[in-house]
Amino acid sequence: MHADNERAVKALNDLIETTLDSVHGYRHAAEGASNPELKSMFRDRANQREELGRRLQADVRNLGGEPEDDQSLLGRIHNKFAELRGELMGRDDSGVIAEVERGEDVIKARFEEAAKDASFPETLRQRISAEYATIKADHDAVSSLKHRHS
């Protein structure tokens, strides 16, 4: 595999792990929310992020690499911590939304950085930029939701 492709595959695999962290976080949020509209929104976002993960995995394969298929170690640790904290302190919709916003901060930053990465082929960088725009809009919506529920 060409060195540029290796770098792009590594960066894409990092995005895949972060995206899978987001899928898991949204699913956990859907389980923890009491408001049916929030549950539905979080399930929809989990499905959208799962589809994003599949697209990124296809991009890795197209570059000749082996795509990640699990979330990051840090994401798994964070999810366990959030789960434990919810069990110990109880869950309310405000807390669930705050946790979702923290996850959105992470994925937004990772995609923003990747959108600027010159090692990606131009067409892939443009697509990542488009994905970033969607993720940023999701982040902003969750942030607004958090401020309405605080």
Side-chain angles (χ1 to χ4, degrees):
M1 183 181 336
H2 189 269
D4 286 344
N5 282 4
E6 284 182 27
R7 181 170 156 76
V9 164
K10 181 177 177 351
L12 283 170
N13 274 329
D14 288 345
L15 290 178
I16 291 167
E17 286 181 334
T18 302
T19 301
L20 295 175
D21 292 345
S22 178
V23 170
H24 185 83
Y26 269 119
R27 287 204 174 116
H28 189 258
E31 292 169 7
S34 60
N35 180 312
E37 289 176 22
L38 289 176
K39 283 182 172 294
S40 178
M41 181 182 88
F42 294 154
R43 278 193 298 266
D44 289 346
R45 292 265 173 85
N47 292 337
Q48 290 167 6
R49 296 286 165 85
E50 194 169 50
E51 181 56 39
L52 171 57
R54 283 193 287 271
R55 289 192 302 268
L56 294 170
Q57 288 169 333
D59 290 334
V60 167
R61 285 185 202 97
N62 289 338
L63 291 171
E66 185 64 33
E68 288 293 332
D69 62 359
D70 200 1
Q71 58 180 140
S72 69
L73 176 60
L74 187 59
R76 287 191 300 268
I77 291 168
H78 172 80
N79 290 334
K80 286 295 181 192
F81 175 73
E83 198 174 301
L84 180 61
R85 184 176 55 215
E87 289 171 8
L88 293 175
M89 299 175 70
R91 295 181 196 190
D92 65 0
D93 286 347
S94 295
V96 171
I97 293 167
E99 197 62 39
V100 167
E101 185 186 37
R102 278 190 282 278
E104 285 296 287
D105 288 343
V106 171
I107 195 169
K108 182 182 89 136
R110 299 265 168 80
F111 271 80
E112 182 176 26
E113 184 179 320
K116 297 174 186 175
D117 189 335
S119 72
F120 286 117
E122 184 59 29
T123 55
L124 185 55
R125 193 161 36 123
Q126 288 173 0
R127 207 168 65 63
I128 290 171
S129 292
E131 300 290 4
Y132 166 69
T134 300
I135 287 168
K136 184 178 182 320
D138 288 348
H139 170 275
D140 294 349
V142 170
S143 183
S144 174
L145 189 62
K146 177 184 169 189
H147 295 304
R148 287 196 312 262
H149 279 80
S150 5

